Amino acid sequence: MSEKIFNMVDLDTTEKLAQILSEKNLGEITVADGEKTISIKAKKCPPPPPPMGGMPPMGGMPPMNAAPPQTAAAAQVESAVEKADAPQGNVIKAPLVGMLYTAPSPDQPPFVKVGDSVKKGDVILIIESMKLMNEVTSDIDGVVTEILVKNGDAVEYDQPLMVIG
């Protein structure tokens, strides 16, 4: 014995849809037949999707890509490696952000090369920033021991550019 509900769907069909809703843990199900449509919503909604940011929900597990805590010994080894990689001598750093050029124009030789002697005030590089060419000068006398950037590199403020010993 089935009753008609709103002359659209019988009670048996409605119960079957509700059972599918429950078994599949769905929040809502809609069935359409021509002009007839019925929607059934669950009492409880499915859990919300996980957050898109890097922060885990309160009480949740930390993200899988989180770095494990570092031991004191590992920190000392890492510090020693950084010191070994640090340039020896006076480091000339970028005074501004921009595009670095090692020569006054593409058809001319570079301002300096490794092994060249420089005096305080000599132009050693150019950084183009906001369509302006800014000369980078040496603030000491010495010999160029290392050039840490290439012509055409984008540089950031305070980035090491050159070592003068």
Side-chain angles (χ1 to χ4, degrees):
M1 169 172 141
S2 64
E3 297 178 34
K4 291 287 184 184
I5 301 176
F6 303 113
N7 291 329
M8 292 177 62
V9 180
D10 62 41
L11 185 59
D12 290 335
T13 305
T14 305
E15 287 175 349
K16 287 179 185 176
L17 290 173
Q19 184 179 359
I20 292 170
L21 195 72
S22 175
E23 288 174 357
K24 302 290 183 182
N25 198 23
L26 300 174
E28 180 179 354
I29 191 168
T30 301
V31 177
D33 182 22
E35 293 181 17
K36 299 176 183 177
T37 303
I38 185 167
S39 291
I40 301 174
K41 294 182 181 181
K43 289 183 182 178
K44 62 178 182 179
C45 292
M52 295 301 289
M55 295 296 295
M58 295 295 271
M61 296 288 292
M64 293 301 292
N65 61 354
Q70 193 174 29
T71 64
Q76 288 175 346
V77 169
E78 190 173 298
S79 177
V81 169
E82 287 175 4
K83 287 179 184 173
D85 289 344
Q88 301 298 318
N90 297 300
V91 178
I92 305 297
K93 295 183 178 183
L96 65 153
V97 175
M99 186 69 62
L100 179 126
Y101 298 107
T102 57
S105 67
D107 59 337
Q108 292 187 340
F111 289 109
V112 294
K113 299 182 295 287
V114 174
D116 286 355
S117 293
V118 293
K119 291 185 172 41
K120 185 175 181 176
D122 286 353
V123 176
I124 53 176
L125 301 166
I126 292 177
I127 297 178
E128 178 185 3
S129 181
M130 298 179 66
K131 307 282 183 194
L132 295 173
M133 298 297 181
N134 301 280
E135 295 179 339
V136 178
T137 58
S138 175
D139 50 357
I140 60 165
D141 293 341
V143 176
V144 176
T145 58
E146 193 174 0
I147 298 176
L148 306 169
V149 290
K150 294 184 298 241
N151 190 46
D153 282 354
V155 296
E156 296 186 20
Y157 174 75
D158 219 24
Q159 176 180 340
L161 305 174
M162 187 178 297
V163 180
I164 299 176

